[in-house]
Amino acid sequence: MSNSHDPQNDRFHSREDREKDYKKQLPGEDDEPLPPPVEPVHVDEKPERNDPCPCGSGKKYKKCCGKPGE
């Protein structure tokens, strides 16, 4: 029966192959160390509706850039 096709056996080997491929992607002892983590960039808060518009038009945000698309 060694010549018969066994789908479960094929699935087992493909899973085994996927695990080997995944482990190849992980850093090993011979690889150079990873760079230090980068601090996240803080984005300014979105202006409220009644705040002056950040574009400098002098209008309120809700009447300028905060206006829904037409």
Side-chain angles (χ1 to χ4, degrees), residues 1-60:
M1 274 201 197
S2 62
N3 293 339
S4 67
H5 181 69
D6 185 9
Q8 284 188 334
N9 195 22
D10 289 345
R11 285 193 314 200
F12 176 75
H13 289 296
S14 65
R15 179 180 176 194
E16 200 173 67
D17 292 340
R18 285 193 307 262
E19 287 177 359
K20 286 180 186 176
D21 291 340
Y22 175 74
K23 288 181 181 179
K24 287 180 188 176
Q25 296 174 2
L26 298 176
E29 293 177 8
D30 298 335
D31 295 336
E32 61 184 63
L34 296 174
V38 179
E39 291 188 29
V41 176
H42 296 284
V43 179
D44 294 337
E45 293 183 22
K46 183 178 175 183
E48 297 291 325
R49 292 185 71 224
N50 291 320
D51 290 342
C53 192
C55 74
S57 66
K59 298 180 181 181
K60 289 186 178 182

